[in-house]
């Protein structure tokens, strides 16, 4: 049995709730068929997508990641702002932005190197940290894209607070018709100072 897995930073539930509140007007401004919104409790910061992993390999990875995580100190991240990849004009992924110190990229590189040592292919795209809050449907029309862009540009999402990153987590993700269901598997603590 393989586990579709990823490594992420958790977002505290108060911040998830603040995000949900701040994007409610945007959600209400668009037909439900255009964007699959991420459930508030599922919002997270992905550090590394692993794909299908055997339970044994995942346990090995968790062991290595425990050592890696413990070598990184806690750091803060400020959340806020809204945008879309690759652009608001051709939105595919809708996100909440973040501001993080270089420590976030150091953590991400450490996670990447740890995974690479165990044979997981490295991410080729540059790291652009964000919180995915919605995914635009595959079959949207040109006029839908204009509608999405207009709604995104009208939406105002201010500062959403600061979090303190103190651990890295491994989740499994079960793809289901109603949306992916995440299950927490491992928590690897960082070094508090
Ligand atoms: P769904 O695919 O049902 O819309 P999801 O994307 O949240 O939901 P997964 O596809 O299992 O669920 O992804 C889990 C996490 O890994 C998410 O943060 C997702 O953005 C990220 N992810 C998924 N596939 C990749 C990939 N190929 N490269 C980088 N990150 C990925
Ligand atoms: Mg996905």
């Amino acid at each position: 049995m393989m586990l579709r897995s990823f490594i992420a930073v958790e977002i505290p539930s108060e911040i998830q709730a603040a995000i949900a509140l701040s994007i409610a007007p945007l959600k209400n401004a668009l037909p439900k068929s255009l964007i699959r919104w991420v459930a508030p409790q599922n919002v997270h910061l992905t550090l590394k997508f692993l794909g299908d992993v055997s339970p044994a390999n995942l346990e090995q990875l968790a062991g290595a990641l425990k050592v890696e995580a413990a070598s990184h100190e806690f750091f803060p991240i400020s959340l806020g702002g809204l945008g879309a990849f690759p652009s608001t004009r051709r939105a595919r992924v809708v996100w909440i932005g973040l501001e993080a110190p270089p420590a976030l990229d150091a953590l991400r590189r450490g996670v990447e190197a740890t995974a690479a040592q165990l044979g997981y292919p490295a991410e080729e795209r540059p790291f652009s940290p964000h919180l995915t809050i919605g995914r635009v449907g595959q079959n949207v029309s040109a006029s839908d894209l204009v509608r999405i862009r207009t709604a995104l540009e009208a939406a105002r999402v201010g500062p959403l607070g600061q979090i303190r990153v103190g651990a890295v987590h491994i989740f499994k993700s079960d793809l289901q018709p109603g949306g992916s269901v995440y299950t927490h598997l491992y928590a690897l603590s960082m070094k508090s100072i």
Side-chain angles (χ1 to χ4, degrees), residues 2 12 49 94 101 108 162:
M2 298 295 263
F49 177 71
V94 182
R108 198 267 319 167
Q162 200 178 68

Side-chain angles (χ1 to χ4, degrees), residues 47-71:
L47 296 176
K48 172 79 182 160
F49 177 71
L50 299 166
D52 282 336
V53 182
S54 72
N57 285 359
L58 204 58
E59 188 156 341
Q60 197 185 1
L61 177 66
L65 205 55
K66 181 179 171 149
V67 176
E68 179 63 30
S71 76

